[in-house]
Amino acid sequence: MYLTRSEEKALGGEYGEALESAYRVLLAMGRLSDAKRLIPIKWAHVSGVSYLTIGDYGLDFLQRISKIRGTKFKVFTTVNPCGMDIENWDRLEIPPEYAEKQLKIINAYQKLGIASSFTCVPFQSYPVPPKGTHVSWAESSAAIFANSILDIRTNRESAVSALASALTGKTVYSDLHIDKNRKSTFAVRVKLPKEKELKGSVDYGVLGYYSGKHAKGVIEFQGIKAARSLSESKALCAAIGTVGSSGMFKVGRSKGLETIDFTQKEYDETFDEISDSETGDAIVFGCPQMTIEELYELSKGLEGKHFKKKCIVFCSSKVYDLAKSRGYADDIEKAGATFVRDSCADFTPLISSLKVDSVVTDSAKGAHYMKRVHSVKVALKDTETILRENMI
Ligand code: F3S
């Protein structure tokens, strides 16, 4: 892979240990993907923020990097949700020893110069750069959204590679950064009965889960409308990323692609695979974290009623503040729900601490992870049904 003189110097350690390590990561990735060079990026989005996922090893690593003199992120860098509500953790049954480590992780990232985003929907809280801009995003649902909906370019980065990009301001020029690799390679033909129109985050989550599992490369959905709501697009991207390696989808009618069908049979089988409970003892909204539009819809759907069981709503602080200013947050809190800000719906000890056997959620991705991380059963239902069944 071609390196400029200054990249070579950084790789040789002339600009310090942190940059040397970061360039080593990029070089290794470049060799694996047969890339010819590195390219500058405008935005890095880093994952690996929850103590539940990175543990002591990740914490030590970040602390070590952040203590190297002069080490700062070179480009605008946002971070994924962390493992607790940073301000309210003590009121939410988070063990103090866990909180202490989580705060140290946040502190290390802050020393490196992050925007305090703590969100997996960064495109909602910060201005999106022009189409075609190269970025390096580690959160799979956000990366797929970036390529497919925003038309900005990223590969599906790992926590380590996005960190290397944040430190260097560069990424490997490969895969989805290159025009020719952004063409459809695999079709999913949606052939549902006439009366079954895909609608809402559950339907799109099921389609994404099936497609992520069975399709490869750039997925082309055929037989669905190009225009979907933000919530449906978000659910589709999140579910594709949960079980597959694809980093982008399109909607089209190309001929000659390897093709699979998504009929009522595939819908039902996939739904049953995700949803293994009829009901939930608690309600979880916000995987990916809820957007302002979704909070508006939720507040509208409450109709002044009250939740019959524990309901937790995950969103970023920025979105919460906006929802507060518009009155949606107050309506949702008055109905008995608890907001958990800046945290991940699945990778937080909070769900286990609820001590429930099952939860109900509208997210296929949330269902996938909560079953595995917290050993709960999960009922997958759309928001309207959840509200109808769980409010008085
Ligand atoms: Fe976001 Fe965590 Fe779900 S990062 S997409 S809430 S698994």
Side-chain angles (χ1 to χ4, degrees), residues 74-112:
K74 287 241 174 7
V75 285
F76 177 60
T77 301
T78 46
V79 285
N80 240 16
C82 69
M84 64 183 194
D85 186 316
I86 302 165
E87 282 179 27
N88 288 325
W89 61 267
D90 48 346
R91 281 194 266 141
L92 292 166
E93 305 203 29
I94 297 292
E97 51 289 3
Y98 174 94
E100 192 191 331
K101 303 235 175 156
Q102 181 62 75
L103 291 172
K104 283 183 180 164
I105 292 171
I106 293 167
N107 190 258
Y109 274 122
Q110 281 170 337
K111 274 194 190 149
L112 291 166

Side-chain angles (χ1 to χ4, degrees), residues 117-316:
S117 54
F118 304 109
T119 183
C120 45
V121 279
F123 46 85
Q124 163 118 128
S125 300
Y126 300 91
V128 173
K131 290 181 180 193
T133 303
H134 297 280
V135 302
S136 175
W137 283 11
E139 164 56 40
S140 65
S141 62
I144 299 171
F145 196 95
N147 285 314
S148 316
I149 310 290
L150 306 176
D151 204 8
I152 57 177
R153 298 178 175 208
T154 179
N155 287 322
R156 275 180 57 179
E157 302 292 346
S158 67
V160 173
S161 64
L163 188 64
S165 288
L167 288 165
T168 58
K170 306 210 172 136
T171 192
V172 171
Y173 187 52
S174 67
D175 304 309
L176 292 171
H177 287 286
I178 300 173
D179 275 344
K180 69 176 171 55
N181 298 330
R182 296 174 69 84
K183 297 198 171 97
S184 305
T185 56
F186 198 109
V188 176
R189 202 160 40 187
V190 179
K191 293 174 92 178
L192 292 166
K194 278 214 168 54
E195 64 283 3
K196 169 77 185 160
E197 192 201 343
L198 288 176
K199 195 165 174 284
S201 57
V202 168
D203 282 354
Y204 279 92
V206 172
L207 173 64
Y209 203 88
Y210 173 78
S211 310
K213 213 165 195 181
H214 299 284
K216 309 180 278 277
V218 177
I219 301 170
E220 180 172 302
F221 290 110
Q222 301 185 346
I224 62 170
K225 290 193 194 108
R228 289 165 302 276
S229 69
L230 171 60
S231 181
E232 290 167 344
S233 304
K234 194 163 73 84
L236 181 60
C237 296
I240 292 172
T242 302
V243 279
S245 60
S246 171
M248 182 172 174
F249 74 83
K250 297 176 169 206
V251 174
R253 289 191 292 183
S254 306
K255 299 262 183 274
L257 301 174
E258 191 178 345
T259 301
I260 51 172
D261 285 342
F262 179 74
T263 67
Q264 189 67 50
K265 177 175 169 286
E266 284 77 28
Y267 183 101
D268 292 341
E269 285 171 0
T270 308
F271 183 90
D272 289 344
E273 186 184 341
I274 303 168
S275 183
D276 60 357
S277 177
E278 283 299 309
T279 55
D281 302 329
I283 304 160
V284 177
F285 288 122
C287 172
Q289 287 175 330
M290 290 187 88
T291 61
I292 191 68
E293 293 81 1
E294 288 171 317
L295 290 177
Y296 167 68
E297 289 298 330
L298 179 61
S299 70
K300 227 175 45 172
L302 298 171
E303 295 171 346
K305 295 185 187 149
H306 204 271
F307 286 104
K308 286 194 263 186
K309 52 184 76 157
K310 187 97 186 155
C311 172
I312 307 181
V313 178
F314 290 85
C315 67
S316 69

